Amino acid sequence: MNATALTSRRVVTTVRGQPASDGAGVKLNRLIGQPALDMLDPFLMLDEFRSDQASDYLAGFPSHPHRGFETVTYMLAGNMRHGDNQGNTGMLRAGSVQWMTAGRGIVHSEMPEQEDGLMWGFQLWVNLPAADKMTAPRYQDIAPEQVPQLRPADGVELRLLTGRIGEISGPVTDVATAPIYVDVRLQPGAQWTAQLPQRHNGFVYVYDGEAIVGDGDSARTLPRGELGVLSHGEALTLAAGTDATRLILVAGKPLNEPVAKYGPFVMNTPEQIVAAIRDFQSGRFV
């Protein structure tokens, strides 16, 4: 079956980020997890951090807990060191990705490993199904050289973090929501059609330049800093205009479960949130 026979996706709504801060005062642009887009099942939050002013990021994210979901950090520029209360440590650098499954509970930190220069990347929060919320924590730390780079058409370069494109699979595996996460770079005039699971919820976020999303009369132009929530369908056409563009394309299987959120804890009921707070305060996140 070729792409022309597939149901096309289009942008159904757009969202611009809101300034936010987290950790010890790191300045962020919050795209998902704000009033205009509280969540997009299974995605709970998307932050972009981007600054070459050390005062915006140097304080980092000191030790803090998580339970019940997954955090995904993708670095475009800069260096971030992570560590946790179980003795795990690692370095995130430009082009690397960390997929952390918090599961039943973990206390970790993410601190800049630089005192100046550009720090740029994304953190995405992905919900876990009820059956997996109390699973053992784990990390998938992926170095830049482990991320497949694909060139499916002239002027198109893809970095596949997770999911499948043709016969190639991304290095992040065994995620309950079967996500697709692709960093898409298009040269002027280039075009690429992605094939996606029909019922996955998805979005694109343009982080550089301007992208044309969708095809035919439904195509919309998204500038830098705009997130487009996608309709369901099997194919999404992405194109650049007269200038190069870069964006992330993310899609995942919705869980369709109740969500109870309280800061770094995401469960299914308020009672489970109370239990998470109690367990953390009692030192059980070990």
Side-chain angles (χ1 to χ4, degrees):
M1 182 183 293
N2 66 50
T4 60
L6 302 177
T7 306
S8 295
R9 290 186 179 233
R10 58 184 177 84
V11 174
V12 294
T13 189
T14 61
V15 175
R16 293 198 69 85
Q18 289 196 343
S21 66
D22 214 331
V26 177
K27 292 184 178 180
L28 306 164
N29 182 38
R30 181 150 295 165
L31 294 137
I32 301 176
Q34 50 130 322
L37 185 60
D38 178 59
M39 65 176 288
L40 181 64
D41 188 10
F43 306 115
L44 303 161
M45 191 187 79
L46 175 66
D47 286 340
E48 179 184 24
F49 49 92
R50 180 185 187 181
S51 180
D52 57 9
Q53 300 297 313
S55 59
D56 289 346
Y57 61 74
L58 204 55
F61 304 90
S63 291
H64 57 281
H66 289 298
R67 173 181 277 184
F69 64 101
E70 303 183 283
T71 68
V72 186
T73 306
Y74 177 43
M75 298 293 292
L76 298 175
N79 299 287
M80 189 91 74
R81 181 171 294 281
H82 75 86
D84 67 23
N85 62 338
Q86 300 183 33
N88 298 304
T89 61
M91 175 70 76
L92 295 170
R93 51 195 171 93
S96 64
V97 60
Q98 179 195 83
W99 200 290
M100 186 188 80
T101 303
R104 62 177 176 251
I106 198 164
V107 179
H108 80 145
S109 64
E110 299 153 297
M111 301 299 292
E113 194 82 357
Q114 62 189 66
E115 295 184 358
D116 55 33
L118 178 63
M119 178 76 72
W120 190 7
F122 303 99
Q123 185 162 103
L124 177 71
W125 287 14
V126 185
N127 204 5
L128 282 168
D132 295 339
K133 283 190 176 294
M134 296 298 284
T135 192
R138 69 169 182 143
Y139 291 94
Q140 297 185 66
D141 279 322
I142 310 298
E145 55 272 17
Q146 295 175 280
V147 178
Q149 297 192 46
L150 313 177
R151 291 176 174 81
D154 289 344
V156 179
E157 180 179 321
L158 313 175
R159 302 189 80 243
L160 179 60
L161 309 184
T162 188
R164 190 175 183 87
I165 296 175
E167 299 301 313
I168 305 299
S169 296
V172 175
T173 61
D174 300 319
V175 180
T177 51
I180 294 162
Y181 192 147
V182 192
D183 184 354
V184 181
R185 305 178 184 205
L186 304 171
Q187 294 302 310
Q191 178 176 300
W192 173 60
T193 298
Q195 296 189 23
L196 302 168
Q198 184 179 24
R199 302 303 297 176
H200 272 31
N201 287 339
F203 65 87
V204 297
Y205 175 65
V206 180
Y207 67 86
D208 194 26
E210 187 175 82
I212 302 164
V213 182
D215 55 10
D217 294 339
S218 67
R220 292 184 64 168
T221 299
L222 302 186
R224 164 171 162 67
E226 198 152 276
L227 181 146
V229 177
L230 302 172
S231 66
H232 288 154
E234 299 156 302
L236 176 68
T237 299
L238 301 167
T242 56
D243 298 312
T245 188
R246 297 188 292 174
L247 58 94
I248 55 172
L249 165 62
V250 182
K253 180 174 65 177
L255 298 176
N256 299 312
E257 294 179 350
V259 175
K261 296 186 288 185
Y262 183 78
F265 309 127
V266 182
M267 304 300 290
N268 297 104
T269 68
E271 292 78 13
Q272 291 170 336
I273 293 292
V274 172
I277 296 169
R278 183 177 61 245
D279 288 348
F280 171 62
Q281 292 175 339
S282 301
R284 298 193 185 103
F285 279 29
V286 292

